[in-house]
Amino acid sequence: MGEKVFMQGNMALAEAAIRAGCKYYFGYPITPASEILEYYAEKMPEENGVFVQAETEVSASNMIAGVAAAGKRAMMATSGPGISLGAEAISFMCAAQLPAVLVNVMRPGPGDGDIVACQGDYFQAVKGAGHGDYNTIVLAPYSAQEMVDFAFEAFELAEKYRNPVMILSDGGLAKMMESVELPDRITPDIQFPWALTGAKNRSANVITTCAKSPKQWEEYNLVLQEKFKKMKDAEQKWESYKTEDADVIVVAFGISARIALSAVKMARENNMKVGMIRPITLWPFPEKAFKGLEDKYFFVTELNAGQMVEDVRLSVKDKEKVSFYGRLGGMTPTPKELYEKLIELYKEHKLDANI
Amino acid sequence: MKVVYKRPELLTDAHFSYCGGCGHGIINKLLAEIIEEEKLSEKAILVWPIGCSVYADQNFKVDSICALHGRAPSVGTGLKRALPENAVIVYQGDGDLVSEGMAEIMHAAIRGEKFSVIFVNNAIFGMTGGQMAPTTLLGQETTTSPYGRKVETSGYPVKMAELISNVQGCYFSERVYVNNPKNIMNAKKAIRKAIQYQMEGKGLSFVEVVSQCPTGWGVKPLDSLKMVETEMSKEYPLGVFKDMGVNGN
């Protein structure tokens, strides 16, 4: 059975990844993700695993591609600037159909930015930081427990689809300490017929992302697109809270959802019919969560200038009913601040509440 | 009749995609022969670069991956760390290794990664159409040094075999040519040695193969063979720059 411990978000993720059988870690120091790197550095010798502190995130992410090509579980954790550097390898792994897990512990940008909680890398994660037509499943935890659960799930999804998966955390969740239940460790039973292991008793396996003709490359792209469509149909995940009777539905992911939930509860205590949708997969975006909610107003809150709000607008019929409130640069709103924004929304649209 | 020469079994029937007179075909063939002779066909994993050998995966009956530009040593690191018993052979050109991937190759050597590197130096970007490389000779005309490479703007050619030999994690470094039968035989010996060292668990083994590029140099194939001796050898002399020997570690 599992083990209950009090752990920091970053470390919970690292421990869970080890328990999920990921024994290959490549990374580069960057705040606020470094505890994952340090945790692996400490644990890999006793686990008989591999830890390499790479010269750059460019190199680390391509090392992951190498391990993935050998058919083994590999991970890299970094922050937004590191994902910018590793983006070429994300594009490459999608094209080469290599499963691996990348973690972005978001910090405020653009540029060097700061090292606290922020959600400004939503576009980078969801729309793709690298080149070409590709998608990666993006999981957005909102607790240390989800860091643990998603570490396991990320590898399973990556291998199911032969595609990299990203866990999109942030400087707040990463540093927060919470009680988590750690599952028992597993030895993943993975034997991939496509893996590079040496051409013994089979013909040679070749992994390439080089087109030999436009026709062939279009056909290959269509194979990838078919796969992305399957992900889109099957892997949308979200959590809904009191949406059915709601006038207004707050939409928030990750650490914003924690603040937003407090604001929603304050609103309910004051007879405002406010619900919440928390997207868990950011790609595929859980557009199914918005079905049947055509008459509602949506209030999107993020720690950025308005990124996920675009996907919310794409998921509803009436874009005019979607509003946004965000804070930038590592500032976070208080629940009361969000609650007051909800009151403004109620007044603006003359919604029925005794306020 | 006794067979004295044959096409390596490990090569497929596909034609090499190189230009006439190019050295890559010779180097690829040597590699296939060595893998076969060393009985490593079931253990070899080739890491191809972005450059003229980008399609070489279709020529070999061994496992292979084509890495992103410059990143073959990183992919090689991942593969070799995951599969320490296998023979990981990283093949790169000068644009790939010296320009885009200088950090990756140097740090692979710094870490003493236990794979072999075949570095093909033809002093030019071949696949993209003959642009200047960090290895382009002074005065050499290319599409991006149309008035000849100048020190003032582009610095000096990089001598990789010498440079990498100074890194402690580099176990073996030699420069060879493939412009005549004698040099080709010596090149084969060097590549074989590099792979043997890897199988003995030694550190990074590096062979710089100075290769002719008649298309990129704008000369006839026969003249390109001569230019290896008359031009390239001045900047890139033959030599073993490091060999820690069978008893090193």
Side-chain angles (χ1 to χ4, degrees), chain A residues 34-50:
Chain A
S34 293
E35 288 89 355
I36 304 175
L37 177 86
E38 289 162 348
Y39 198 89
Y40 258 93
E42 188 188 330
K43 298 287 179 186
M44 282 303 95
E46 70 196 50
E47 296 279 346
N48 230 348
V50 170

Side-chain angles (χ1 to χ4, degrees), chain B residues 11 23 34 54 56 95 102 106 115 120 142 166 190 197-198 203 218-219 223 226 230:
Chain B
L11 288 179
I34 294 165
V54 74
M102 185 60 126
M106 291 307 282
F115 55 72
V120 181
T142 70
N166 288 310
Y197 277 148
Q198 176 182 174
V219 298
D223 292 336
K226 286 180 201 143
T230 58

Side-chain angles (χ1 to χ4, degrees), chain A residues 24 52 55 58-59 62-63 66-67 70 72 88 92 196-200 202 204-208 210-212, chain B residues 42 45 54-55 57-58 61-66 68 71 74-75 78-79 81-83 86 103-104 107 111:
Chain A
Y24 295 88
V52 177
E55 64 273 23
V58 174
S59 191
N62 282 283
M63 288 173 186
V67 174
K72 299 189 176 180
E88 61 160 33
F92 176 75
L196 306 182
T197 52
K200 192 176 182 182
R202 59 161 171 78
N205 282 343
V206 173
I207 295 174
T208 181
C210 285
K212 301 210 163 57
Chain B
E42 295 180 347
I45 300 176
V54 74
Y55 296 138
D57 56 49
Q58 66 189 0
K61 296 179 196 165
V62 298
D63 280 9
S64 68
I65 182 167
C66 183
L68 284 167
R71 316 299 177 226
S74 305
V75 173
L79 281 163
R81 296 286 186 125
L83 304 164
N86 285 64
E104 285 75 11
H107 281 274
R111 291 189 304 271

Side-chain angles (χ1 to χ4, degrees), chain A residues 26 56-69 76 78 82-102 128-132 134-136 162-166 207 209, chain B residues 65-69 71-72 74-75 100 104:
Chain A
F26 303 85
T56 58
E57 290 89 343
V58 174
S59 191
S61 51
N62 282 283
M63 288 173 186
I64 284 173
V67 174
M76 168 176 106
T78 180
I83 294 290
S84 294
L85 290 172
E88 61 160 33
I90 301 175
S91 162
F92 176 75
M93 287 190 279
C94 285
Q97 305 205 61
L98 295 174
V101 174
L102 296 118
H131 53 284
Y134 74 85
N135 291 105
T136 52
R162 285 184 66 184
N163 204 68
V165 170
M166 183 179 284
I207 295 174
T209 65
Chain B
I65 182 167
C66 183
L68 284 167
H69 196 40
R71 316 299 177 226
S74 305
V75 173
E100 188 85 37
E104 285 75 11

Side-chain angles (χ1 to χ4, degrees), chain B residues 91-161:
Chain B
Y91 189 106
Q92 297 182 268
D94 42 12
D96 197 79
L97 185 141
V98 194
S99 199
E100 188 85 37
M102 185 60 126
E104 285 75 11
I105 187 61
M106 291 307 282
H107 281 274
I110 288 164
R111 291 189 304 271
E113 295 295 340
K114 295 174 173 55
F115 55 72
S116 313
V117 181
I118 299 172
F119 163 49
V120 181
N121 175 9
N122 55 16
I124 205 155
F125 276 74
M127 187 178 72
T128 45
Q131 293 84 6
M132 179 176 62
T135 45
T136 291
L137 301 174
L138 292 181
Q140 186 181 338
E141 291 176 15
T142 70
T143 61
T144 53
S145 58
Y147 310 108
R149 177 176 182 169
K150 290 185 172 66
V151 172
E152 302 78 58
T153 48
S154 309
Y156 292 92
V158 182
K159 301 172 196 290
M160 270 316 293

Side-chain angles (χ1 to χ4, degrees), chain A residues 137-154:
Chain A
I137 292 176
V138 180
L139 300 171
Y142 97 135
S143 63
Q145 186 61 52
E146 284 193 345
M147 296 276 203
V148 171
D149 299 343
F150 293 177
F152 276 75
E153 201 177 333

